[in-house]
Amino acid sequence: MECRLFTHQKIHKTVRMHSCTRCGKSFKRRSHLIQHEEMHSGDKPYCCSECGKCFVYNSNLLRHKRIHIGEKPYSCLVCGKSFVRNASLLEHQKIHTGERPYSCQECGKSFLTNAHLIQHQMTHTESFIKSSNLIVHRRVHTGEKPYFCSVCGKCFASSSHLVEHRRTHTGEKPYCCSDCGKYFAFRSSLVQHQRIHTKCFSQSSQFVIHLKTHTGDRPFSCSECGKCFITNTSLAQHQRNHTGDKPFSCSECGKCFLCNSSLVIHQRTHTGEKPYSCPECNKSFCSNSQLVKHQKTHTGERPYTCPECEKCFMRNSDLSVHMRSHTGERPYSCSHCGKRFANSSVFAIHQRIHTGEKPFSCSYCGKCFIRNSDLVIHRRRHTGEKPYLCTQCGSSFVSKSALSSHVKTHK
């Protein structure tokens, strides 16, 4: 122990002779400087053989590999939960101590980490560049849709949404790809398409994996259901659906997830961060996929068509779930009661009936709910918000179902 202390004290006494010419940071060893300079050059020489992800430092690669092998060397002494990184353990331990050292000066809300505080503070700064954008945004709350399609009767909050919607009737496709000449009805569809021509990769391993999306090569097969995947990492992530393993845990509420990306999106429900904003109505979302889905409500675009009944959908995943209504496939089985489901999200909600889990809590009264949608409707009883407006009599309602029930009284 004395030897370690002596070594540590050198940090305070040693003159740091080696300085970075780009940022001025100094190091006591030249090898540390060389390693640091790789951050500026963009060079990432340490690559994961499993997924192709690369790192500046070998230590970061070793830490990353624990995700694939499942190693979690840092354990909580209170509840026994294990973590890949010591920093994650330290954040988790705050759940037991109740410590929330980072406080918002605007509203007083406290957070476990400074990152969560910074994300939350963005919710206080939302603004609109033009007054016209504010006017359109207000219609989200009032339900006003003054622009009317003469062909199908559908109404829209802004004239630009109506113009785009009309193309679904006329077949007009004004946006042309300069690389292959293909035409699109919507600018967003063109931008997404153009990525096919411009996609680049910094690592050959990433390029090899990407090529499989074109060749259809899926060499990794699930022994449980036979589904095949391009990478072994994707297979390992999929198998968690069968095993129930959820290694990624939220430090705020303890909820666990199959993959890290789902955890990142979930954590925004605690911080209030919604980094993806709709340019049409300024409504914000936690994930890019939610924004893409929302934008189709403005354009009316439903590019995915069912070959059986010709019903159209906004997303390919929605079409895949719908197809099960024709095939009768129900791949998700409840281990408690044996009931089977076609949709994984419906299956997850059903399991909470058995576990008693109610992860969505009201910040006003503390009441908890199984579904986030139930919490959203419940909150409106505290705030007085009634975003669903009856166009016939002007009455407002907290939910779409309440409005639908009311509209029947006019018939």
Side-chain angles (χ1 to χ4, degrees):
M1 290 297 291
E2 288 182 4
C3 181
R4 289 182 183 178
L5 174 61
F6 179 74
T7 302
H8 167 77
Q9 286 174 330
K10 289 180 181 179
I11 296 172
H12 304 294
K13 296 177 181 178
T14 304
V15 177
R16 300 190 172 197
M17 300 294 294
H18 305 284
S19 296
C20 175
T21 56
R22 295 199 183 190
C23 66
K25 192 171 183 179
S26 299
F27 301 86
K28 65 179 180 179
R29 294 179 184 171
R30 180 168 179 75
S31 60
H32 292 171
L33 171 62
I34 293 170
Q35 198 173 39
H36 164 80
E37 285 175 334
E38 289 171 355
M39 294 179 64
H40 297 299
S41 67
D43 187 24
K44 296 183 178 182
Y46 303 99
C47 293
C48 176
S49 57
E50 287 285 333
C51 65
K53 190 172 183 180
C54 297
F55 301 87
V56 175
Y57 305 118
N58 186 46
S59 58
N60 290 346
L61 172 60
L62 295 175
R63 189 182 300 118
H64 164 80
K65 282 182 175 179
R66 292 172 185 160
I67 295 171
H68 299 299
I69 64 177
E71 183 188 1
K72 295 181 179 181
Y74 302 100
S75 296
C76 175
L77 297 175
V78 179
C79 65
K81 194 166 188 179
S82 299
F83 299 87
V84 172
R85 298 185 307 160
N86 187 46
S88 300
L89 170 61
L90 294 175
E91 280 192 13
H92 164 80
Q93 286 173 328
K94 293 174 185 174
I95 295 173
H96 300 300
T97 63
E99 181 187 2
R100 289 174 176 260
Y102 303 97
S103 180
C104 175
Q105 294 181 349
E106 292 283 338
C107 64
K109 190 172 183 180
S110 298
F111 298 90
L112 290 175
T113 66
N114 188 46
H116 290 168
L117 170 61
I118 292 170
Q119 290 170 349
H120 163 78
Q121 286 173 328
M122 293 177 185
T123 63
H124 296 299
T125 59
E126 185 176 0
S127 59
F128 298 89
I129 297 172
K130 296 188 292 186
S131 60
S132 58
N133 290 345
L134 174 60
I135 292 168
V136 171
H137 170 78
R138 281 174 176 161
R139 290 174 185 153
V140 175
H141 303 293
T142 63
E144 182 188 4
K145 295 183 178 182
Y147 300 97
F148 174 79
C149 176
S150 58
V151 179
C152 66
K154 192 170 182 180
C155 296
F156 298 88
S158 73
S159 59
S160 60
H161 302 161
L162 173 59
V163 169
E164 290 189 341
H165 165 77
R166 280 176 177 160
R167 292 175 191 148
T168 62
H169 299 300
T170 64
E172 180 192 5
K173 295 183 177 181
Y175 301 102
C176 178
C177 175
S178 57
D179 286 292
C180 65
K182 192 173 182 179
Y183 284 85
F184 298 87
F186 311 102
R187 178 179 288 276
S188 59
S189 300
L190 171 61
V191 171
Q192 190 172 8
H193 162 80
Q194 285 175 324
R195 292 173 186 157
I196 296 171
H197 301 297
T198 59
K199 192 151 191 171
C200 298
F201 302 88
S202 59
Q203 301 293 329
S204 61
S205 58
Q206 294 171 350
F207 178 55
V208 170
I209 290 171
H210 169 77
L211 283 176
K212 292 175 183 176
T213 63
H214 299 296
T215 63
D217 183 23
R218 293 172 176 261
F220 301 97
S221 175
C222 176
S223 58
E224 290 284 335
C225 64
K227 192 171 182 179
C228 297
F229 299 87
I230 292 173
T231 65
N232 188 41
T233 305
S234 299
L235 170 61
Q237 184 173 306
H238 162 79
Q239 286 175 325
R240 293 173 190 152
N241 289 310
H242 300 298
T243 63
D245 182 29
K246 295 183 178 182
F248 301 97
S249 174
C250 175
S251 58
E252 290 278 343
C253 64
K255 189 175 181 181
C256 298
F257 297 87
L258 294 174
C259 57
N260 187 51
S261 58
S262 299
L263 170 61
V264 171
I265 292 170
H266 162 80
Q267 285 175 326
R268 291 171 183 154
T269 63
H270 298 297
T271 63
E273 185 200 6
K274 294 184 178 182
Y276 302 96
S277 179
C278 175
E280 293 289 341
C281 65
N282 275 44
K283 190 172 183 180
S284 298
F285 299 88
C286 291
S287 67
N288 186 50
S289 60
Q290 291 173 349
L291 170 60
V292 171
K293 184 179 179 181
H294 162 79
Q295 285 177 319
K296 289 171 183 173
T297 64
H298 295 306
T299 63
E301 181 187 7
R302 290 174 177 262
Y304 302 100
T305 304
C306 174
E308 293 287 334
C309 65
E310 296 188 351
K311 189 173 182 180
C312 297
F313 298 87
M314 292 181 182
R315 297 185 300 176
N316 188 41
S317 58
D318 293 337
L319 171 59
S320 299
V321 172
H322 164 79
M323 287 295 292
R324 292 171 186 156
S325 65
H326 297 296
T327 63
E329 182 190 6
R330 292 173 178 265
Y332 304 100
S333 176
C334 177
S335 59
H336 295 280
C337 65
K339 192 172 181 180
R340 302 186 72 88
F341 299 86
N343 188 309
S344 61
S345 58
V346 175
F347 172 51
I349 291 170
H350 166 81
Q351 286 183 312
R352 292 171 188 156
I353 296 172
H354 299 295
T355 62
E357 181 191 8
K358 293 184 177 183
F360 304 101
S361 175
C362 176
S363 57
Y364 291 95
C365 65
K367 190 173 181 180
C368 297
F369 299 87
I370 290 175
R371 292 183 290 260
N372 185 50
S373 58
D374 293 338
L375 171 60
V376 170
I377 293 171
H378 167 80
R379 276 179 181 158
R380 291 173 184 153
R381 304 188 190 283
H382 294 293
T383 63
E385 181 190 4
K386 295 183 178 182
Y388 298 95
L389 183 71
C390 177
T391 56
Q392 296 187 52
C393 68
S395 297
S396 298
F397 300 89
V398 294
S399 67
K400 191 174 183 179
S401 60
L403 172 60
S404 299
S405 299
H406 165 78
V407 168
K408 294 174 183 177
T409 63
H410 293 297
K411 295 179 180 180

